Amino acid sequence: TVDDAVLRAVAMDEEHLAVMRALDLTAVVAVPLTGEGRQLGVLTIAADARRGPFTVADVEVAEQLALQLGLVVARAQRFDLAVRTSHALQDNLLPPAPPSLEGLAIAVRYLPATHGIDVGGDFYDVVRLPGEEIGLAVGDVVGHDITAAATMGQLRSVHRALLADGPAPGAVVDRLQAGWPLLGLRRMATALFASLDPVSGRLRIASAGHPPPLLLEAGRARYLPVRPSRMLGAPPSPAVEWTGVLPCGAALVLFTDGLVESRSADIDEGLDRLLAVASSAGTSDPEALCDRLLSE
């Protein structure tokens, strides 16, 4: 039962005491909230003078309610921890922000396709190679789930390790194809690897089943004629390396099929649309170009 002595004992200050007095409380039931062997809190139910005192049956209902609420709260806490842990792990699968490189402007956009998953099977990377060259990578592990994300993280790490001696893009594809059975990765993947000399503009590209990059120069867009070998995880085929020059002021767009493919349209339609939008973008600035391509 509640009297003024009880109210004074639990009040935090005079204002709190005045509020509780105004409620005209006459009875309180407090039941512990427990779940999965842990104390989670307390369920408190109060009645005023209009209702009358609690009965034994009321206390039993409160206990049953607290039991159910404790299970719900415990599950919610466990789910919240799993989600936060998952997001933290996913965030660490992606590379750091692209390095600042003199003479080059770089922009990245990464949008997951699945609700509740921050990182999917797509990956990208920009790496300083031994010497003056820059290594570029973009790829897509099959699937949009956590397994695809985990495979992506492993593949990106292996790719970085392979760059230690500065191999050509074609050699990167060949090494990954040859070592795929040893990696034990559970999914296949497409990938495109490139190296760029920022001084001369020399560009070398090799593709493992990945869409070709788009070159935007002087308001005209075209796909580079990179001939893909088989995707990673398929029976190996020798990589074919494309060599050319990235002109000063031009933009190179590396992307995954999530940008150009949908359930309602063929990928060729998406590629044609990307070509048209890039040509009419009116800019080769990477940040503005990324925003324009995504919005369209």
Side-chain angles (χ1 to χ4, degrees), residues 266-287:
D266 185 83
I267 188 171
D268 289 334
E269 296 178 36
L271 290 170
D272 291 341
R273 174 69 174 155
L274 175 59
L275 200 64
V277 172
S279 297
S280 63
T283 181
S284 60
D285 173 75
E287 295 287 349

Side-chain angles (χ1 to χ4, degrees), residues 77-100:
Q77 289 181 344
R78 187 171 68 247
F79 177 76
D80 181 63
L81 176 62
V83 169
R84 285 187 284 112
T85 302
S86 172
H87 288 189
L89 289 172
Q90 292 177 62
D91 288 342
N92 283 282
L93 292 177
L94 291 178
S100 178

Side-chain angles (χ1 to χ4, degrees), residues 106-112 124 254 256 285-292 294:
I106 302 171
V108 174
R109 298 292 186 274
Y110 194 102
L111 302 178
Y124 64 90
L254 309 181
T256 62
D285 173 75
E287 295 287 349
L289 189 57
C290 280
D291 289 340
R292 178 66 183 275
L294 288 178

Side-chain angles (χ1 to χ4, degrees), residues 239-273:
V240 179
E241 198 169 283
W242 178 90
T243 302
V245 175
L246 180 63
C248 184
L252 185 69
V253 181
L254 309 181
F255 59 94
T256 62
D257 59 11
L259 182 66
V260 294
E261 192 174 36
S262 70
R263 293 186 178 92
S264 60
D266 185 83
I267 188 171
D268 289 334
E269 296 178 36
L271 290 170
D272 291 341
R273 174 69 174 155

